[in-house]
Amino acid sequence: MTDSLPLRDRYLQLIDQIVQTTLKGQIRSKEQVYKMLVKDVTPGTGEIFERVLEETLSATQQQVDTQKDEMKLAKATRTLRAMQTIRGEWERAQEKNRATDAIATAVQQIIASPPDDKLAALLRVIDPNLAQALNLPQLASALKQQAPEITHPEQDRDVQQLAEGLARGLESWQRLEGHLVSWIYDQNRSLGFEGTPAQSGPWGVWEKQVNSPYPQALFHALALNESVTELVAKQPSDLISFVELAVILQYLQRGLVNWFDKLVYDSKVGARLSISTFLTFAVIWSQLANGLNQATILNSTSRDRLVNGCFQITLQILRTFSQRQYFPLYGGIFASFSGAYLRTTLDYLDAPLRQVEGTQEKARILTLMGYSQRAQGRYADAIAFHEQALEIARNAGDRPCEIANFNHLSRTCVAQKNYAEAISYSQRALILSRQTGDRLGEANALANLGYSEVFQAQQLEQIEPEIYETAINYLQQGLQLSERVGDGQSKALCCSSLGIALLIVEQPQEAIKYLESGLQAAQFSGDLYLQGRNLAYLSEAHYSLQNIDKTILTGSLGMYLLEQIAAEEWRKTAGLLTILQGQMGAEAFQKKLQQSRPQIIALIGVDGYDYIPQILEQYKQSM
């Protein structure tokens, strides 16, 4: 091609050359077209080439649309296909150029950053929230090539370590990739992250696949439910190991979420598992931060750098999570965790959140944490979280989040027996949800309004039936709306609220119907708090009907679930069972409990069944 021609003419000639070569049957693959474009389009002149190509394509398309002669139409059609191939390969070349430029920019950002900020710079450029994800093998290679050109020895060492960490992480991921979800199918493992290697979870499987000591030790601790904080506090940590772990966990988390999101046979189960995945990995990084902060074998500079890196990754995970459609504005963290693991989760996630300014993402995570705090009886903390989230959501224009926090504040006020304030918050949520068309927020607001009014009427000893009828009507409207919306979490709350209200107005048989429906919805949504709460009130309803067998069955299950997530309400149910035990005698009570053993084990396992008497004893000793 003649370089002396103007660019427009050169590119017309290039396009014509590729088309004619194609028509002669001399183009064997698209790769040939790609190489010709890379070779003959001068860097920095891509816009000119694109204009010429689009003009030529448009003219050829017009020929195809208007040509009547069959021979000429056939040639024009073949020409159009050839030009469409050119456009496709040009887009591929441009995409590769953009990726190359992005890698070069990322490398320069890392190299130009201060020594103590190089890890943070790396984590910023591999943030999964970025619009264009970097090719990590290319980034590792580019960093390794650039390191020798750095004149400062310490900075050269850091960049080399970052590159080595990326390379090791990618190598470990290759070993793990084929076992990403194999643990789900092996040995009847359940979908989840809790338990021991013999019970469930991926950690024991993944431990066997990696050969690097740092991730191996972490997976081993997680598999045995040992303290990650204690492990990391004693484990030698360096930049290479940290980056390797960052790559491994990012790929594992992203792979699991993508897999769970594609569970087309049951999208709601997939959503629940994705939620669990996001929270599990966020907590792991927060635990790592806690452990590194206690690591006396590290100097203060290295310790601060690694701790800040953990928080940075935690916030990246939470940000990704908060932007998902299934983010549980009306759910809690205990939908994903149980047992002692939950008890410290809120504290783990609180620390990194303090480091970020008010954003929509932060408002949503605070909402989740506030709900979880309320379930554990930390009402003052819950209100503080929701008020902060409310202000941030309002400033960010996130109306669903704003409405959710009005609803949560209403529910928390009920727990504090501040019913007038609860009614006020639920009314504000109802007005705003109807103004904005937020059906989910409206369903929750109706449930909260009716729920609050029932309790207020009871507190004021109002006996007029119309007061309760109006309140229960709100609850029924909320339930109907939650069913139309198809949100299991809200349905569980509405059924539970309606059942409790009917129990208060001494309609236990009718209450049981709604509480059982609420229990089923809560089990489907995976909300342990609502499961425990529905079971606890079912126990009260059965007790009022003197159905002793079901009182013990539902009360034992409700007490256990609530105690497991540190919800103070377990004590009320334990009190009911203790009274019943006193009335029946310990031996008769134990016999009835034994009769319910198969149903209890089906839900909480043998260990859960064996733990029930211990909870009752714990309650008696604390009286």
Side-chain angles (χ1 to χ4, degrees):
M1 189 182 303
T2 307
D3 289 342
S4 59
L5 287 173
L7 276 175
R8 177 181 172 78
D9 294 340
R10 277 176 53 196
Y11 291 151
L12 279 169
Q13 190 181 85
L14 172 62
I15 293 166
D16 184 61
Q17 177 189 342
I18 296 173
V19 168
Q20 295 307 317
T21 307
T22 302
L23 295 179
K24 291 175 186 176
Q26 295 174 355
I27 296 290
R28 300 282 183 244
S29 68
K30 291 181 179 180
E31 190 65 24
Q32 281 181 260
V33 176
Y34 176 82
K35 288 179 179 178
M36 292 173 75
L37 293 172
V38 171
K39 174 176 175 289
D40 291 326
V41 177
T42 305
T45 65
E47 288 185 10
I48 298 173
F49 176 80
E50 285 176 13
R51 281 200 302 272
V52 173
L53 178 60
E54 290 305 317
E55 287 170 9
T56 313
L57 258 169
S58 179
T60 307
Q61 182 68 60
Q62 189 173 8
Q63 287 180 25
V64 170
D65 293 341
T66 59
Q67 186 58 253
K68 304 299 183 186
D69 185 282
E70 288 189 10
M71 293 279 293
K72 291 180 179 178
L73 177 61
K75 183 178 180 181
T77 302
R78 291 176 62 206
T79 300
L80 182 63
R81 283 201 297 266
M83 295 181 70
Q84 287 170 338
T85 298
I86 294 172
R87 180 163 63 181
E89 293 310 295
W90 171 250
E91 288 173 355
R92 181 160 77 96
Q94 288 297 90
E95 185 63 33
K96 185 175 180 180
N97 287 338
R98 282 193 290 271
T100 302
D101 291 345
I103 291 290
T105 301
V107 168
Q108 286 308 310
Q109 287 175 355
I110 294 168
I111 290 173
S113 61
D116 293 343
D117 196 44
K118 290 202 184 306
L119 174 60
L122 172 68
L123 296 177
R124 281 194 294 270
V125 301
I126 65 171
D127 184 349
N129 294 292
L130 295 177
Q132 182 177 1
L134 295 182
N135 181 301
L136 293 194
Q138 290 181 5
L139 178 61
S141 176
L143 273 176
K144 197 168 185 178
Q145 290 172 6
Q146 286 291 321
E149 299 180 18
I150 302 172
T151 54
H152 196 288
E154 186 176 340
Q155 291 198 37
D156 171 50
R157 185 194 66 214
D158 286 348
V159 173
Q160 287 278 19
Q161 288 181 343
L162 294 177
E164 180 66 20
L166 286 172
R168 286 194 194 177
L170 292 164
E171 181 184 347
S172 294
W173 167 241
Q174 287 179 344
R175 294 172 179 272
L176 287 163
E177 189 172 10
H179 301 271
L180 177 67
V181 294
S182 65
W183 51 278
I184 294 172
Y185 303 101
D186 296 342
Q187 303 174 24
N188 297 317
R189 292 176 185 271
S190 64
L191 290 172
F193 296 93
E194 71 284 352
T196 65
Q199 294 174 328
S200 62
W203 313 116
V205 174
W206 293 343
E207 178 194 352
K208 296 172 185 174
Q209 305 308 319
V210 293
N211 56 11
S212 295
Y214 204 80
Q216 217 170 37
L218 174 64
F219 292 152
H220 182 76
L222 289 167
L224 297 178
N225 202 25
E226 295 174 349
S227 170
V228 171
T229 296
E230 290 180 13
L231 166 75
V232 177
K234 300 171 185 175
Q235 184 88 357
S237 304
D238 56 39
L239 207 52
I240 295 174
S241 299
F242 186 94
V243 174
E244 178 187 11
L245 191 62
V247 172
I248 292 171
L249 293 184
Q250 185 183 113
Y251 274 110
L252 286 172
Q253 175 207 313
R254 190 164 55 197
L256 284 174
V257 169
N258 288 340
W259 195 82
F260 290 144
D261 283 352
K262 292 174 183 173
L263 288 182
V264 292
Y265 68 87
D266 196 334
S267 59
K268 291 185 178 179
V269 170
R272 190 168 77 242
L273 294 168
S274 293
I275 291 169
S276 178
T277 303
F278 277 120
L279 289 172
T280 296
F281 280 81
V283 168
I284 287 170
W285 279 109
S286 293
Q287 289 176 315
L288 288 167
N290 202 27
L292 287 166
N293 205 35
Q294 298 174 27
T296 55
I297 56 177
L298 293 173
N299 62 48
S300 60
T301 301
S302 297
R303 185 166 55 245
D304 290 347
R305 177 168 56 178
L306 296 181
V307 168
N308 289 334
C310 290
F311 284 156
Q312 192 174 348
I313 294 171
T314 304
L315 291 169
Q316 289 173 357
I317 294 170
L318 294 177
R319 183 183 173 199
T320 306
F321 176 38
S322 70
Q323 294 167 348
R324 295 297 172 118
Q325 186 178 3
Y326 46 69
F327 181 83
L329 277 173
Y330 292 94
I333 288 171
F334 38 74
S336 304
F337 301 114
S338 60
Y341 201 35
L342 170 73
R343 299 174 193 272
T344 53
T345 295
L346 295 171
D347 295 330
Y348 282 134
L349 294 183
D350 187 35
L353 277 173
R354 290 178 193 156
Q355 299 199 2
V356 68
E357 297 297 326
T359 61
Q360 180 182 358
E361 294 86 2
K362 181 172 181 177
R364 290 184 164 231
I365 299 299
L366 288 170
T367 306
L368 185 75
M369 293 178 67
Y371 178 87
S372 305
Q373 294 278 10
R374 182 174 79 246
Q376 294 190 323
R378 304 176 185 176
Y379 302 133
D381 290 338
I383 288 173
F385 277 124
H386 288 309
E387 286 180 342
Q388 189 181 358
L390 181 64
E391 183 181 355
I392 296 170
R394 187 180 288 135
N395 292 334
D398 187 347
R399 291 293 172 263
C401 186
E402 184 180 352
I403 293 163
N405 280 283
F406 276 132
N407 276 319
H408 286 305
L409 283 165
S410 172
R411 209 72 182 186
T412 309
C413 287
V414 170
Q416 293 181 309
K417 297 182 172 57
N418 186 352
Y419 304 124
E421 195 74 9
I423 290 170
S424 174
Y425 279 126
S426 61
Q427 288 173 333
R428 292 162 76 181
L430 185 59
I431 292 168
L432 191 55
S433 62
R434 285 176 170 171
Q435 286 176 345
T436 58
D438 180 2
R439 308 287 277 175
L440 183 60
E442 184 182 354
N444 279 271
L446 285 165
N448 289 334
L449 181 57
Y451 191 67
S452 306
E453 289 193 347
V454 167
F455 276 97
Q456 184 182 56
Q458 185 192 38
Q459 184 187 53
L460 299 175
E461 298 181 352
Q462 294 173 323
I463 58 173
E464 295 84 351
E466 58 270 16
I467 294 175
Y468 291 98
E469 286 172 9
T470 301
I472 288 172
N473 182 51
Y474 285 134
L475 286 162
Q476 288 171 332
Q477 287 181 51
L479 175 57
Q480 290 166 7
L481 186 53
S482 70
E483 288 174 333
R484 286 202 297 272
V485 172
D487 183 73
Q489 185 87 21
S490 295
K491 181 182 177 181
L493 176 69
C494 291
C495 285
S496 173
S497 303
L498 190 50
I500 294 166
L502 289 166
L503 196 57
I504 288 171
V505 297
E506 299 180 356
Q507 297 181 37
Q509 197 65 58
E510 191 70 7
I512 287 171
K513 180 178 74 172
Y514 288 106
L515 290 167
E516 286 179 342
S517 180
L519 173 61
Q520 188 177 15
Q523 286 172 332
F524 188 78
S525 67
D527 192 318
L528 293 177
Y529 175 60
L530 286 178
Q531 288 179 51
R533 188 176 171 83
N534 275 282
L535 284 161
Y537 278 100
L538 272 169
S539 181
E540 287 190 30
H542 285 302
Y543 182 70
S544 67
L545 295 170
Q546 285 301 291
N547 188 341
I548 303 305
D549 290 1
K550 288 189 175 180
T551 300
I552 293 173
L553 170 63
T554 55
S556 297
L557 287 168
M559 176 184 68
Y560 173 82
L561 290 177
L562 292 169
E563 193 275 342
Q564 282 292 287
I565 63 170
E568 281 296 306
E569 289 157 281
W570 74 267
R571 299 184 60 81
K572 184 180 179 183
T573 310
L576 174 62
L577 293 177
T578 300
I579 290 170
L580 189 57
Q581 191 179 48
Q583 292 171 346
M584 297 173 60
E587 187 176 339
F589 181 89
Q590 185 59 37
K591 187 176 179 181
K592 290 286 187 184
L593 184 63
Q594 180 70 27
Q595 289 172 356
S596 299
R597 188 174 187 271
Q599 294 164 280
I600 293 173
I601 288 175
L603 285 175
I604 62 175
V606 176
D607 290 344
Y609 174 81
D610 292 340
Y611 188 49
I612 289 169
Q614 296 179 43
I615 302 176
L616 287 172
E617 189 59 34
Q618 179 185 337
Y619 171 77
K620 291 172 188 174
Q621 291 179 3
S622 65
M623 290 173 63

